[in-house]
Amino acid sequence: MAVKPAPQLASAAVPRHVAIIMDGNGRWAKKRFLPRIAGHKQGVEAVRRISRAARKLGIEALTLYAFSSENWRRPEEEVRDLMGLLRQFLASELEELISEGVKLRVIGDWRRLQPDLVAMIDSAIARTADNPGPTLVIALNYGAQAEILAAARRLAEEVKAGTLDPSAIDEQRFEAGLETADLPPLDLMIRTSGEQRLSNFLLWQAAYAELLFVDTLWPDFDEAALAAAIEQFGKRQRRFGGL
């Protein structure tokens, strides 16, 4: 299938790291009197579109909130469908990621997923580990509060062992213990579907990120919508607490 070129940007300010809370699959399906799985399938198509568009636009890292640690509360059938779609995505997209030089990263407590899925993820990460291009980060079984707590516990253990002076703990030392430590700082976080909350996603990393909430449901989010979001980013003045 031919990939349409991403729209050209008027602004030269392209964020290095963009994160997206992909919301609205269920509502997309409901509006069309379809089962929720139909919305999730279209959501996967949106992932393909946006990951390709992000590469064309020069974004270095794209982090997608695919499955939160709270999503286990959803019906068992829906969770099973989501995991099945993840398997299909890895199977169908891996060769393209490799050919495009994309490095795949997965954050969250994803090793608690089913063994066959963990093996697929391990293989995909290993096969793309040396790729020189942009990074696609998938957040699976992820919760920002758990990530922050884990980093704090590791530092506490070092202090208890006598290998770390508490006075040496600063922002940089703490960030080094987060799962996004070697990624560019988060510049822009987008949430689709009109909801305006972070839902336990990249809470530390979003401290000075630009936030953008759009009404578009995730399955309808396309290259033009991403380009428009980046245009808005380019018009904002980022002061980072200064004047």
Side-chain angles (χ1 to χ4, degrees):
M1 181 179 68
V3 179
K4 293 188 296 184
Q8 295 297 310
L9 298 175
S11 169
V14 176
R16 296 179 64 197
H17 185 179
V18 175
I20 305 179
I21 301 174
M22 306 179 293
D23 196 13
N25 291 348
R27 275 166 282 176
W28 185 93
K30 185 176 181 180
K31 285 175 61 177
R32 292 161 176 78
F33 304 100
L34 296 171
R36 287 178 64 85
I37 184 59
H40 293 313
K41 287 180 178 178
Q42 289 302 310
V44 172
E45 291 303 316
V47 169
R48 292 189 176 98
R49 285 197 306 270
I50 296 307
S51 61
R52 290 167 180 163
R55 297 198 293 271
K56 291 179 180 295
L57 292 169
I59 295 169
E60 295 178 34
L62 175 67
T63 301
L64 303 176
Y65 204 7
F67 192 85
S68 78
S69 52
E70 289 77 28
N71 284 157
W72 294 109
R73 301 170 187 167
R74 295 188 177 188
E76 183 178 346
E77 181 180 3
E78 182 172 353
V79 171
R80 185 170 58 250
D81 288 340
L82 288 168
M83 295 304 161
L85 289 172
L86 176 59
R87 289 182 179 87
Q88 292 176 24
F89 177 81
L90 290 171
S92 64
E93 299 302 303
L94 181 57
E95 293 305 321
E96 179 176 319
L97 296 179
I98 293 170
S99 67
E100 292 287 319
V102 178
K103 180 179 295 186
L104 179 68
R105 286 272 301 277
V106 180
I107 61 173
D109 194 9
W110 56 273
R111 291 195 175 277
R112 296 185 64 182
L113 302 178
Q114 292 183 332
D116 70 305
L117 185 50
V118 171
M120 287 186 71
I121 294 170
D122 270 330
S123 175
I125 291 172
R127 292 184 64 189
T128 63
D130 296 326
N131 285 354
T135 302
L136 175 62
V137 186
I138 306 295
L140 283 174
N141 197 22
Y142 173 87
Q145 291 175 330
E147 178 189 28
I148 292 169
L149 284 172
R153 288 192 187 104
R154 284 191 290 270
L155 291 175
E157 289 170 358
E158 292 182 48
V159 171
K160 183 179 180 180
T163 59
L164 177 64
D165 187 332
S167 64
I169 301 174
D170 56 13
E171 292 178 5
Q172 289 72 34
R173 185 63 180 260
F174 192 88
E175 286 179 354
L178 298 177
E179 297 188 68
T180 55
D182 57 346
L183 295 173
L186 181 60
D187 292 316
L188 173 64
M189 182 181 287
I190 302 168
R191 181 168 187 148
T192 60
S193 87
E195 302 291 346
Q196 299 187 16
R197 55 183 177 272
L198 298 185
S199 295
N200 199 20
F201 186 45
L202 301 179
L203 298 180
W204 176 283
Q205 296 86 341
Y208 280 101
E210 295 297 315
L211 307 181
L212 182 62
F213 303 104
V214 298
D215 291 332
T216 307
L217 300 176
W218 175 246
D220 293 327
F221 198 80
D222 57 13
E223 298 91 336
L226 180 61
I230 294 174
E231 283 287 351
Q232 288 199 42
F233 171 84
K235 295 174 182 177
R236 296 187 181 183
Q237 294 185 352
R238 306 185 73 196
R239 298 186 179 88
F240 299 96
L243 298 177

